[in-house]
Amino acid sequence: MSSTSYSENYDNAMVSQLNLVDTGHEDMIHDAEMDYLGLYLATCSSDHTVKVFNLDRNLKKDDSHSQKGTLIAELKGHSGPVWQVAWAHPQFGTLLASCSYDRKVIIWRGDNGNWFKYYEYNNHDSSVNSIAWAPKEFGLILACGSSDGTISFLTYMSDTNSWESRKIAAHTIGCNAVSWGPGIGSLSELDLKGSKLGGVAKRLVSGGCDNLIKIWKQEGDKWIEETKLENHSDWVRDVAWAPSWGLSKCMIASCSQDRKVIIWTSNDYVTWTPFIMNTFDDVVWNVSWSLTGDILTVSCGDNSVSLWKENTDGAWQCITEMGKTSEQRAM
């Protein structure tokens, strides 16, 4: 990814550029994430920095500190490439997490235009590759996947105004991605015995360098490996659990260096059925669901980005593609 970040919108199977942000990063951008309300854009780079931009289109232009696409914070605290950023739900305030090759996770807080380091976690032995905030229904919890093969859970304890950490062994030669299961939804209404639940079980899916996908469930104060999914033949680069609003089944998307994107479906969290959505021309680095869980974005190593949607027959179709030339599309 270059030093320029694009904000784009899906509309009637077409993608149009809404805004062009010149980030000013001095090296490759690894992630760009908009906050929950679409007001801010956070980017991170191999130049060791995290930057925050204001995207609010309703602000007055004469407010020099709040113009559209304006840099409002440059956060320096990492000493290596920053791989990923993640916004917490706004009910917890303006919180942004970042993870880096330097083995650190930093949680930044914004308060009336001022940004500061809120919490730093440095208990991993290798690069921290992926971070994800839990659904707001579970509280303020951050999952962190590392090349040391472990996943850490950082939980904010409001009674003591402190952070509690817990680490589990996950993937023997490295964890590349983590994604939380929904906090609400159709499958959350009933447990496996069909009785009403008092609360939704916390679940997390992870992908690793062992070619495996694992689903974790919290039972009491422990995280247990609930399911192991085997279908990829190379490193799993990303996993994404679909939002469950209105869906009749659970869905997880995974992508790998084997160039495949697989859609996993389940009605009971126990039996998962894999469907190879597509085999791409290059390594697939990232998968991401729309807020409604019916459109999947796929990013590949050849700089192509495509949007996929399941039709009424259960087949997945590419509805639009960006980044490839017309000659590449014809091949």
Side-chain angles (χ1 to χ4, degrees), residues 170-303:
H171 298 270
T172 53
I173 54 176
C175 178
N176 295 322
V178 292
S179 177
W180 287 87
I184 56 174
S186 57
L187 287 179
S188 301
E189 297 174 358
L190 300 174
D191 65 10
L192 300 182
K193 297 179 181 179
S195 60
K196 291 291 183 181
L197 284 173
V200 179
K202 297 184 181 73
R203 284 183 170 88
L204 183 89
V205 61
S206 63
C209 300
D210 51 9
N211 308 349
L212 297 176
I213 296 163
K214 295 185 179 183
I215 296 174
W216 307 88
K217 179 183 179 183
Q218 187 179 41
E219 291 190 352
D221 61 352
K222 295 182 179 180
W223 284 88
I224 64 166
E225 181 184 312
E226 186 176 42
T227 309
K228 182 188 298 180
L229 306 179
E230 303 179 64
N231 206 292
H232 285 294
S233 58
D234 208 333
W235 288 15
V236 178
R237 281 298 180 182
D238 199 14
V239 289
W241 203 313
S244 61
W245 300 332
L247 299 181
S248 60
K249 58 190 175 185
C250 253
M251 288 196 300
I252 293 173
S254 63
C255 66
S256 166
Q257 288 190 192
D258 64 11
R259 302 183 291 118
K260 295 177 182 176
V261 170
I262 298 178
I263 305 295
W264 306 82
T265 58
S266 176
N267 292 317
D268 59 7
Y269 296 114
V270 177
T271 303
W272 291 82
T273 302
F275 175 78
I276 299 176
M277 189 193 77
N278 193 49
T279 301
F280 291 82
D281 297 331
D282 208 328
V283 173
V284 188
W285 288 100
N286 179 262
V287 284
S288 178
W289 292 100
S290 64
L291 290 177
T292 51
D294 60 341
I295 297 172
L296 183 71
T297 304
V298 179
S299 304
C300 297
D302 58 4
N303 294 326

Side-chain angles (χ1 to χ4, degrees), residues 121 123-125 148 150-153 165-169:
Y121 179 73
N123 199 29
H124 279 288
D125 298 323
D148 64 14
T150 67
I151 297 173
S152 289
F153 296 90
S165 65
R166 178 164 298 168
K167 187 190 291 186
I168 62 172

Side-chain angles (χ1 to χ4, degrees), residues 104-166:
K104 293 191 295 188
V105 175
I106 298 177
I107 298 174
W108 311 88
R109 187 179 189 96
D111 185 13
N112 293 322
N114 298 313
W115 286 81
F116 57 92
K117 186 186 296 185
Y118 187 52
Y119 178 71
E120 180 176 312
Y121 179 73
N122 55 10
N123 199 29
H124 279 288
D125 298 323
S126 192
S127 172
V128 183
N129 303 318
S130 180
I131 48 176
W133 291 101
K136 63 181 178 63
E137 294 83 4
F138 297 154
L140 192 57
I141 309 173
L142 184 70
C144 317
S146 171
S147 290
D148 64 14
T150 67
I151 297 173
S152 289
F153 296 90
L154 310 180
T155 304
Y156 177 71
M157 312 300 291
S158 58
D159 54 341
T160 59
N161 191 29
S162 62
W163 292 84
E164 177 186 274
S165 65
R166 178 164 298 168

Side-chain angles (χ1 to χ4, degrees), residues 1 6 8-10 13-15 261 277-278 280-288 295-308 318-325 328-329:
M1 190 178 289
Y6 293 84
E8 295 174 307
N9 182 47
Y10 168 78
M14 297 295 290
V15 174
V261 170
M277 189 193 77
N278 193 49
F280 291 82
D281 297 331
D282 208 328
V283 173
V284 188
W285 288 100
N286 179 262
V287 284
S288 178
I295 297 172
L296 183 71
T297 304
V298 179
S299 304
C300 297
D302 58 4
N303 294 326
S304 65
V305 178
S306 53
L307 304 184
W308 296 75
C318 180
I319 55 177
T320 192
E321 188 173 18
M322 301 154 280
K324 279 189 174 183
T325 64
Q328 285 177 307
R329 294 192 186 99

Side-chain angles (χ1 to χ4, degrees), residues 14-69:
M14 297 295 290
V15 174
S16 59
Q17 179 182 313
L18 290 182
N19 194 14
L20 175 64
V21 179
D22 185 357
T23 67
H25 278 296
E26 297 176 357
D27 208 330
M28 181 180 295
I29 297 174
H30 296 290
D31 196 17
E33 297 286 340
M34 294 177 68
D35 75 325
Y36 187 84
L37 300 175
L39 301 179
Y40 300 105
L41 173 72
T43 61
C44 61
S45 166
S46 281
D47 65 9
H48 306 182
T49 67
V50 174
K51 296 188 178 186
V52 181
F53 300 86
N54 199 319
L55 298 180
D56 190 351
R57 303 175 188 88
N58 297 317
L59 292 172
K60 297 179 180 179
K61 289 186 177 181
D62 57 3
D63 185 350
S64 61
H65 192 61
S66 303
Q67 292 182 23
K68 182 175 67 175

